[in-house]
Amino acid sequence: MSLPLVQAKAALRREIRAWLCARSAVERARASRAAGVVLSARPEWQAARAVLGYVALPDELDLWPVLTAWVARGGRLALPRPDPVTGLYQAAWVPDPAHDLRPGRYGIPEPTAACPVAPLNQLDLLLVPGLCFAPNGRRLGRGQGHYDRLLATEHGPAWGVAWDEQIRDDLPTGPEDQRVDAVVTPTRWLAVAQCR
């Protein structure tokens, strides 16, 4: 990766993190509920039987109430966890979100070792957080490449989840940065094909 690209990514990450840190818990809760409504209204979500979700960091939109309600109606939920051998993210089935999670290496709840691996090609939808998304589907993550490596494998449609302010027309990305197929925000569902 070239130095100018690294610097551009770092500058945008600082800008977005500062904006996210300035959001109150009330704003985040309101935006999370609104994004959950947008997600729940999508026919693809309503038809999904198996989904990769995520447990939100404090500055991310929190879809956990939507995910757990969906599981209660019979959906199969997978969450990312690091592979104990490679350290790379893998998806693991979470049969009971109330009992099958433990704090992971970043303090984020993740599936226990007893939860079986979920092949990504068996998932109807992958929900992916990020710091920024572009209308062409490019995503800027937190800089570790965990989701980029996960998304580089065979999988179903991937949807980013972000505030509207995290959508940027000009996003510094490289060939290792994976695309998503759509982005869910508190106000809209942005399909990449419709945005080009």
Side-chain angles (χ1 to χ4, degrees):
M1 191 180 331
S2 71
L3 183 59
L5 180 58
V6 170
Q7 292 171 333
K9 285 183 172 187
L12 183 55
R13 284 185 178 112
R14 282 191 301 274
E15 176 189 337
I16 294 298
R17 284 183 177 129
W19 186 88
L20 290 169
C21 286
R23 308 284 63 83
S24 71
V26 172
E27 287 177 287
R28 181 175 171 260
R30 187 180 309 122
S32 295
R33 283 191 302 273
V37 169
V38 171
L39 174 65
S40 298
R42 295 298 310 166
E44 301 92 335
W45 171 259
Q46 295 168 7
R49 295 178 319 255
V51 168
L52 177 73
Y54 67 93
V55 179
L57 292 171
D59 62 357
E60 293 174 337
L61 293 180
D62 185 4
L63 297 177
W64 195 247
V66 174
L67 291 170
T68 54
W70 176 77
V71 168
R73 292 191 306 273
R76 272 187 97 189
L77 177 65
L79 292 175
R81 72 170 175 212
D83 180 288
V85 176
T86 66
L88 301 176
Y89 271 16
Q90 62 182 193
W93 296 117
V94 181
D96 183 354
H99 297 100
D100 292 333
L101 300 177
R102 62 165 173 73
R105 66 178 147 175
Y106 301 114
I108 305 165
E110 60 188 38
T112 65
C115 295
V117 172
L120 294 182
N121 61 4
Q122 292 183 12
L123 299 169
D124 300 314
L125 180 61
L126 286 72
L127 298 175
V128 181
L131 286 178
C132 255
F133 295 90
N136 66 1
R138 288 287 187 193
R139 173 188 169 274
L140 181 67
R142 294 182 178 268
Q144 301 298 313
H146 295 304
Y147 275 97
D148 287 317
R149 288 187 291 274
L150 188 72
L151 293 174
T153 62
E154 183 182 342
H155 58 78
W159 292 2
V161 180
W163 299 70
D164 289 283
E165 291 80 1
Q166 289 174 281
I167 308 294
R168 299 292 178 94
D169 288 333
D170 187 21
L171 192 60
T173 58
E176 71 285 348
D177 296 308
Q178 299 298 308
R179 294 177 188 259
V180 295
D181 302 295
V183 182
V184 176
T185 78
T187 65
R188 60 191 168 153
W189 181 78
L190 209 68
V192 168
Q194 296 170 355
C195 299
R196 288 187 179 163

